Amino acid sequence: MSNRIIVKWEYILLLLLTVVAYITWEFSILAFVIFLFLPDVFMFGYLLNKKVGAILYNIGHTFIFPLLILGIYFVIKEPILLMVSLIWSAHISMDRALGYGLKYEEGFKVTHIQKI
């Protein structure tokens, strides 16, 4: 099995785990569906240029921010933070499972996972 297949399955499993956690905490499925694609607004940076687009896209598509939000949730126990973290993580996992990785300045189709 190739490394690309292994990585794809890792992200598929992470997506399933985030969805199961989301459902387990009994958050709104409607909210999940509505906000699942919200991180894609970071793509609008590409309207300015490739460099800004890559920077903004990567901000919205790195696990750093959902994990920071999750950490804050564990400190202050505000359920909406857990909900946001799970939806955001699900989005990133879904994108990565589909082969969309963090972007390089060369263009939208050049990612850390593959050249699309």
Side-chain angles (χ1 to χ4, degrees):
M1 189 175 335
S2 73
N3 288 344
R4 185 175 288 173
I5 299 293
I6 292 169
V7 169
K8 178 180 271 204
W9 276 103
E10 285 178 334
Y11 287 118
I12 290 169
L13 291 174
L14 184 55
L15 173 60
L16 291 174
L17 178 64
T18 57
V19 170
V20 167
Y22 190 90
I23 292 168
T24 300
W25 266 282
E26 299 179 347
F27 294 125
S28 165
I29 299 300
L30 181 60
F32 185 87
V33 171
I34 290 171
F35 294 114
L36 182 61
F37 293 99
L38 187 61
D40 284 337
V41 301
F42 288 93
M43 287 192 297
F44 285 115
Y46 281 99
L47 295 174
L48 297 173
N49 62 53
K50 290 179 185 179
K51 182 177 182 176
V52 171
I55 291 168
L56 290 178
Y57 181 91
N58 290 345
I59 287 171
H61 289 82
T62 179
F63 284 105
I64 292 170
F65 298 107
L67 291 175
L68 286 173
I69 292 169
L70 180 63
I72 295 168
Y73 161 76
F74 284 122
V75 173
I76 65 173
K77 305 292 189 224
E78 176 56 49
I80 193 145
L81 295 175
L82 178 58
M83 185 177 89
V84 167
S85 177
L86 289 171
I87 293 171
W88 201 345
S89 296
H91 175 87
I92 296 168
S93 301
M94 178 184 63
D95 275 5
R96 301 268 175 92
L98 294 171
Y100 298 104
L102 298 175
K103 308 301 182 194
Y104 291 102
E105 293 178 17
E106 288 83 16
F108 185 80
K109 294 184 178 186
V110 181
T111 76
H112 82 284
I113 296 175
Q114 66 182 349
K115 188 173 183 178
I116 302 170

